[in-house]
């Protein structure tokens, strides 16, 4: 065993954690520090109307996906086709000011946040494909008419 002076010296070094397995002291801090040093972020998913799934998280690391901890990266790791139907994400956790909060693709997630993906409805998909409707149409038809060019009788 080592004395208190040596323990104090070890605790003050960079990248070190002092713990005792025999007395089960500081093990929770060791675990938290390991997650921090490995730069691993666990994101839990939630389906609408259900409780979050805390058993099987999405694990984001700098080596996986888009190399960042955004909603876009988490959704891409779930499935690429979900990204095409993405409307917004509802996030619970430390990365938002109020829980829950609707966020976009560029929102940065923190460790142990909960993510629920909201998909576009069929009407929103059609609207997105056709774009914003502009101009005017003649009553009862889909023929576009420019009001400046309409002949006056």
């Amino acid at each position: 065993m080592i004395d208190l002076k040596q323990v104090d010296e070890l605790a003050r070094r960079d990248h070190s954690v002092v713990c005792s397995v025999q007395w089960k002291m500081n093990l929770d801090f060791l675990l938290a520090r390991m997650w921090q040093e490995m730069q691993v972020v666990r994101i839990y998913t939630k389906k609408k109307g259900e409780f979050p799934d805390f058993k099987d998280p999405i694990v984001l690391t700098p080596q996986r996906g888009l190399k960042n901890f955004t909603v876009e990266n988490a959704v891409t790791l779930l499935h690429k086709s979900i990204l095409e139907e993405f409307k917004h994400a509802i996030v619970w956790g430390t990365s938002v000011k109020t829980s829950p909060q609707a966020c976009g693709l560029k929102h940065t997630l923190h460790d142990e946040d909960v993510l629920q993906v909201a998909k576009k409805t069929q009407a929103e998909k059609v609207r997105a494909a056709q774009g914003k409707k502009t101009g005017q149409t003649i009553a009862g038809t889909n023929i576009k008419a420019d009001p400046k060019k309409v002949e006056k009788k």
Side-chain angles (χ1 to χ4, degrees):
M1 297 223 306
I2 59 176
D3 63 349
L4 192 58
K5 183 178 178 183
Q6 291 174 328
V7 170
D8 186 50
E9 182 183 323
L10 285 173
R12 295 179 188 280
R13 289 186 184 173
D14 290 340
H15 308 293
S16 68
V17 175
V18 177
C19 62
S20 171
V21 177
Q22 181 180 3
W23 295 326
K24 298 180 182 173
M25 292 176 56
N26 217 15
L27 295 178
D28 52 345
F29 180 73
L30 173 65
L31 185 63
R33 181 72 183 265
M34 288 172 57
W35 280 101
Q36 179 185 359
E37 291 295 324
M38 291 189 304
Q39 295 181 343
V40 175
V41 175
R42 297 163 290 186
I43 306 299
Y44 299 103
T45 57
K46 177 188 177 309
K47 293 182 180 178
K48 187 175 182 178
E50 295 181 12
F51 289 107
D53 179 18
F54 290 114
K55 293 182 181 178
D56 191 23
I58 301 169
V59 179
L60 303 176
T61 64
Q63 293 81 26
R64 293 184 70 199
L66 304 173
K67 313 236 185 299
N68 52 21
F69 305 128
T70 60
V71 171
E72 182 178 9
N73 193 16
V75 171
T76 303
L77 289 175
L78 275 173
H79 200 276
K80 290 181 182 179
S81 67
I82 298 175
L83 200 57
E84 297 167 2
E85 302 173 356
F86 181 83
K87 181 178 179 181
H88 64 270
I90 303 171
V91 179
W92 290 261
T94 59
S95 68
V96 292
K97 291 181 182 177
T98 59
S99 287
Q101 183 173 341
C103 301
L105 289 172
K106 301 300 178 193
H107 176 75
T108 303
L109 298 166
H110 293 173
D111 190 30
E112 296 187 342
D113 277 355
V114 176
L115 175 73
Q116 177 182 333
V117 177
K119 295 181 181 180
K120 292 179 185 175
T121 62
Q122 188 62 33
E124 290 170 332
K125 289 179 195 174
V126 170
R127 195 176 313 124
Q130 292 177 353
K132 184 177 178 183
K133 295 194 176 192
T134 58
Q136 297 178 353
T137 59
I138 299 172
T141 67
N142 282 332
I143 301 171
K144 289 186 180 180
D146 188 2
K148 296 177 184 174
K149 295 183 180 179
V150 174
E151 296 178 24
K152 295 182 181 180
K153 294 184 180 180

